[in-house]
Every structure is written in C-alpha cells, then in structure tokens.
Amino acid sequence: MSQHATAHVSGHYIGGEWIDGHGSVTFESENPATGESLATFRRGTAADVDAALAAAEDAFEEWRSLSYIDRAEYLWDIYHELRDRHAELGEIVSRECGKEISEGKADVTEAWHMVEWAAGNARHPHGDVVPSEVAGKDSYMRRKPRGVVSCITPWNFPVAIPFWHMAIALVEGNTVVWKPAEQTPWCGQIIAEMFEDAGIPDGVFNMVQGYGDAGSALVDDSRVDTVLFTGSAEVGHEIADTVGGEPGKLAACEMGGKNGIIVTEDADLDIAVHSAVMSSFKTTGQRCVSAERLIVHTDVYDEFKARFVEIAEDIAVGDPLEASTFMGPAIEADHVAKIRSHNELAVEEGAEVLVDRFELEAAEIPDGHAEGHWVGPFVYEIEYDGDLRCLNEECFGPHVALLEYDGDVERALEIHNDTPYGLAGAIISEDYRQLNAFRDRADVGLAYANLPCIGAEVQLPFGGVKKSGNGYPSAREAIEAVTERTAWTMNNSTEIEMAQGLSADI
Ligand code: UN1
C-alpha cells in the first residue's frame, strides 16, 4: 500500500525504493491559506541526487529497449489513477498551493490530458520516410532517447507541469530524475506513489525532494543529458547558461512573463473585461502567463477602466476550498513581501493607484485563516514609458497596470512588445486586420484573440521568446528536447550507387 503524507517524515523515491537519503534536514509543506503544516519531508542533498542519477543511468538501457507502446502502458495506469482520484487530488493541490478548488481540479485534469497525449502518441506513426535520388535507397528519420532527463518543476501547477515533462520523457525512452517544487512536496510524494503503484521498473522514475541545491546538482551533473525546467526566469537563465557550456547537454526552459492584453477601439468590452479579469487575477496572478499590463485604446479606456476596477474591488479572495472563491492566497510569506515591493515600486515610479486591496480587511479573511498569506488585487494606471521597471519586471501576483494608447495597432504592439519577456499575450478586437497583426508581430509564444492569455491546452507548444524561454518543455516540442534524431539510410540493391552523381568506381 502506498504511503500518504502524514505525521511521519517522507523521503525520496530512488531506484524503486523510498529512502531517507543522506541529509538530516527536513522541511514542511505548508497550507498557504492557513499557515498550518501539512506534512514533513526530507530535504534532498547532492548525494541523494547522485544516487538518483546513478539509478536512472542503470535503468536506461532496459527501458529504452521496450517498445513505445509497452512504455506507454505504465503511463496509462497513472492516467486512470489521476482520473479516479480527481476530486481528492484536486483538493490536495488546493490545500498545498492555495489555488481555488476548480483550479486545483483543473491542474489534475491538465496532468491526465498530457499523459493521454504522450501515451496516445506511442501508437501514432513516428518519424518520416525521406526520398532518395538513388532508386533502391531508403532514408528514414528515426528518434532515439537521449538518456537521463532531469525535470525541475514549479509549485503553481504541481501536478500538471511535472507530467508535461515526465510523460513525454518517459514514453520516448528516457529515464527521469524529478525534483518537485519545495512548496509542493506533498503533490510530489503522491505522484511518486503513482509511479510506484504503476510498477514502473526500478530506476526509470526517481524523485528527490528539496530546494535549489538539489536542483543545481540535477543540472550540473555530467550524467544528465537533458534538463527540462519550468519556473522563474532567474533560475531558468542560470540553467540555460550552465547547460549551454556543456556540449551534448540540452536544456528546454520555460520561464515567466510580463504578459499584456491589447484592447482595441472596436473591442467587445464584455470580452475585454472578462479576459482581463481572468488573466490578471486567476491563480492570484501566479501563473507565468498571468497578465500584468492592459494596453487599452483611448476611445474605450474610461469605460474599460470603470468596469475592470469595479470587478477588481469586489472579486472574492478567500478560502481556496470554497467554490465561491475566485482568488486564494499567495504561496508564501516571502512572496507576499515580493508582491508588496512591486506594488511600492509602481507607486514610486508614478502610478495612480486605482484599486489597492493588497492588505485585505480583517472581515475579508475567512475564519481560522488569519495566518494565511493573503493578498488582494492591486490595479494602477501609469503613463507608458518603456524604461519603467514596474512595466518590465514580473511581479507574479495580482498586480496589473492599465496603459492608455492612442493610435493604431502598430502603436499598441510597440507598447506590448516593449518588455524583456515574451511568453503570452492577447488582443481583444473585432477587426481581423488588427488580430492578424497581433498574431504575426506580437513577441510571444502563446498568442490569443478575444480570450484571456491563460488556459493553454496541452497539445499546443507551451513556451516563450526573449527572456521567457529557450525551449518548449511540453507537448510535441518537448520530444525534440528528449530525443536525438538519426537519419537512417539503407541500400536495398546489391550495388552501391552514390547520390550527387558521385562516382562509386574503385
Ligand atoms: C503557468 O502559467 O505557469 O496556460 C502554466 C495555462 C495553463 C498552464 C500555465 N495551462 O494557463
């Protein structure tokens, strides 16, 4: 029977065993809505990562020699478990990372969607048949696994994002060492139990709990062939730099954003306000695709502002387990401090504050939740200036700027693209020319029209441009990061005939 997070101290899953590992330090999973401890975990060390990488390396040859379909069968077991335990796991996600309950459940749903995509892909044709100049010669593009894949995942999608990385890496024949986020070790533990219950061969999947030091060990080690990372820009850039200096190693990193929504002069304002509210405040602004810049045409600015502010003033912040809640808490006390400093920076830089619910009223805090990490919406308007730090630095919270523009879509795009990031963005417009201009020229990996800029589906590539990423650690593009391609050419005749008219005479 699997273990569940209880009063005891939970360890790491390495080589098919639950082990305490080399470190004596423990850490707590904390419910951000109440401040209570949910469970205690061992903090992994570089020696634990070393053991996990050794197990992954040992397991690789046997795992790669299974068929795609046999490998996918293990994932299908997990798919069923994710579905069967949807309500229970969704609640655990909400309790451990503070997302309101429909988001907790959507996180689990997104995980099984990715498992379905990756495992289903095992029965699809792979590779290409490529013609040759020479009759009797065939070429095929074949893929083979790269080897050991490190997966480092964030707390805000503690079930979905690990499966973005791991389902694909495993079905493609790699072995995996995964470090869950230190804020969501309980979700990490449950996922590891699922792999154990699915009977995946020892060492194919390994999980080490811990912090950045364990993460660094997972990046630096020469046995690692690919690093898949989703998380902050700061860490992602360090990983990309380290890995870039090691020939043969790859990193696909998806980082944050300073995402914007353009509302044009002819926009449907119901859609515009709805999209802006969803994008700015869902997940308490703690999605890497959350919007922090609303770029609104002067003709509709006042009406948009009035409607957006009215909702922001009123939106329900509270207990994530209550269905009526729209926003749960911030993830941790340090993050509340970070959001505060972004709000203060905006004021220092000249923001006109329109909504300041950063400090919630005592009456807004649910009973028994006084120790939660509460923050509410902070909305400001400011005259656009590309040098303002508040318009360029990601807050990762319910902190959003309204920017008024006058002119055509080119002007809106100029403002939209003027950040170091390029993850997600949206345009709200009824004019197909403006929509197409955004599609073609917005500097983003994920572009939306008449929709929020959150809520991507797993079958789309997920990643950004500029400071937001150097790869797509999800869906089809992740396959590129965890496989090598071989151009396989075979002669079916009894003669050797060369291409390009090259003489084969000897
Ligand atoms: C993230 O923002 O960290 O597109 C991931 C979305 C989700 C994934 C978000 N499917 O909003």
Side-chain angles (χ1 to χ4, degrees):
M1 184 61 208
S2 310
Q3 336 170 15
H4 287 277
T6 55
H8 79 282
V9 181
S10 304
H12 318 291
Y13 188 70
I14 298 177
E17 309 272 342
W18 286 97
I19 60 159
D20 286 347
H22 297 76
S24 54
V25 180
T26 62
F27 68 107
E28 307 285 311
S29 159
E30 191 202 48
N31 179 335
T34 60
E36 74 180 331
S37 169
L38 295 167
T40 309
F41 296 86
R42 301 258 166 211
R43 179 169 168 165
T45 62
D48 300 323
V49 169
D50 180 65
L53 290 171
E57 206 177 41
D58 279 357
F60 175 58
E61 282 307 323
E62 214 168 310
W63 181 244
R64 77 179 300 179
S65 66
L66 297 182
S67 74
Y68 268 97
I69 290 166
D70 284 345
R71 290 194 296 258
E73 285 303 326
Y74 293 98
L75 272 301
W76 283 121
D77 280 358
I78 293 175
Y79 167 86
H80 291 295
E81 202 169 343
L82 287 164
R83 292 200 75 141
D84 292 347
R85 296 175 63 186
H86 188 200
E88 172 208 345
L89 282 179
E91 184 177 324
I92 291 173
V93 171
S94 286
R95 289 178 65 199
E96 193 171 42
C97 76
K99 295 202 286 194
E100 67 73 24
I101 187 71
S102 84
E103 293 194 54
K105 288 190 192 152
D107 198 322
V108 179
T109 305
E110 187 165 338
W112 85 57
H113 286 171
M114 188 49 99
V115 173
E116 183 178 38
W117 189 90
N121 199 33
R123 283 193 185 266
H124 280 241
H126 287 233
D128 296 307
V129 178
V130 182
S132 170
E133 293 165 33
V134 180
K137 205 169 106 178
D138 287 330
S139 291
Y140 309 95
M141 293 304 296
R142 310 261 313 173
R143 286 190 185 277
K144 52 191 181 210
R146 299 201 82 230
V148 174
V149 175
S150 294
C151 301
I152 303 176
T153 56
W155 65 265
N156 66 339
F157 282 79
V159 183
I161 293 180
F163 282 105
W164 290 6
H165 295 186
M166 297 194 297
I168 290 166
L170 290 168
V171 171
E172 290 296 330
N174 303 275
T175 55
V176 156
V177 180
W178 171 44
K179 189 192 87 60
E182 61 268 25
Q183 296 87 348
T184 50
W186 189 10
C187 290
Q189 159 101 9
I190 291 169
I191 292 171
E193 288 170 4
M194 288 183 172
F195 278 102
E196 181 189 24
D197 292 347
I200 199 155
D202 296 350
V204 169
F205 161 88
N206 306 273
M207 186 270 299
V208 178
Q209 298 279 15
Y211 284 66
D213 50 339
S216 299
L218 266 178
V219 172
D220 298 343
D221 197 285
S222 60
R223 287 166 292 184
V224 173
D225 298 289
T226 294
V227 181
L228 299 179
F229 170 80
T230 303
S232 74
E234 198 190 341
V235 176
H237 292 140
E238 246 175 66
I239 292 175
D241 282 353
T242 310
V243 170
E246 277 187 69
K249 204 189 253 193
L250 281 181
C253 302
E254 183 267 299
M255 287 90 92
K258 188 75 181 171
N259 310 297
I261 299 183
I262 295 174
V263 179
T264 64
E265 63 275 33
D266 62 348
D268 174 330
L269 285 191
D270 289 340
I271 289 192
V273 172
H274 196 166
S275 299
V277 168
M278 294 283 291
S279 306
S280 308
F281 304 133
K282 204 82 184 148
T283 329
T284 315
Q286 298 168 114
R287 288 187 187 223
C288 49
V289 287
S290 295
E292 297 188 5
R293 298 156 32 108
L294 306 176
I295 303 153
V296 183
H297 194 275
T298 187
D299 288 357
V300 289
Y301 185 82
D302 288 341
E303 187 181 345
F304 175 88
K305 175 167 102 174
R307 292 175 62 178
F308 183 75
V309 162
E310 190 184 344
I311 296 176
E313 283 291 6
D314 204 42
I315 209 153
V317 185
D319 182 354
L321 299 179
E322 287 291 332
S324 56
T325 294
F326 189 88
M327 283 172 52
I331 184 65
E332 56 197 352
D334 284 355
H335 196 50
V336 174
K338 182 180 167 212
I339 295 169
R340 180 197 301 276
S341 72
H342 279 269
N343 295 350
E344 286 170 358
L345 173 67
V347 172
E348 275 162 35
E349 291 190 311
E352 182 73 36
V353 179
L354 304 173
V355 177
D356 185 0
R357 294 176 64 202
F358 175 73
E359 306 264 7
L360 290 189
E361 309 277 332
E364 290 180 284
I365 297 175
D367 283 349
H369 290 68
E371 301 302 317
H373 307 307
W374 300 107
V375 293
F378 182 86
V379 181
Y380 63 99
E381 62 185 349
I382 196 159
E383 195 170 333
Y384 165 71
D385 170 349
D387 290 334
L388 291 174
R389 282 176 54 205
C390 64
L391 298 182
N392 285 300
E393 295 176 12
E394 183 189 29
C395 169
F396 208 64
H399 159 108
V400 60
L402 263 63
L403 302 166
E404 184 173 355
Y405 78 95
D406 194 4
D408 56 13
V409 72
E410 299 305 325
R411 175 61 183 153
L413 274 165
E414 197 182 320
I415 298 172
H416 176 273
N417 287 344
D418 190 16
T419 87
Y421 290 99
L423 184 57
I427 181 165
I428 316 296
S429 179
E430 296 291 298
D431 173 357
Y432 77 90
R433 290 188 182 84
Q434 300 204 48
L435 297 174
N436 287 346
F438 187 81
R439 179 197 64 197
D440 293 343
R441 292 205 296 285
D443 287 344
V444 289
L446 298 142
Y448 294 88
N450 294 320
L451 279 170
C453 60
I454 64 166
E457 298 178 45
V458 298
Q459 58 277 16
L460 284 161
F462 192 98
V465 298
K466 303 197 291 194
K467 218 175 149 181
S468 293
N470 77 339
Y472 295 78
S474 116
R476 202 171 56 200
E477 275 68 9
I479 296 178
E480 300 292 332
V482 296
T483 57
E484 307 283 9
R485 273 181 293 182
T486 304
W488 168 245
T489 301
M490 187 165 155
N491 181 14
N492 295 309
S493 89
T494 52
E495 307 288 321
I496 291 186
E497 191 182 339
M498 303 302 286
Q500 298 108 20
L502 186 69
S503 166
D505 293 347
I506 50 173

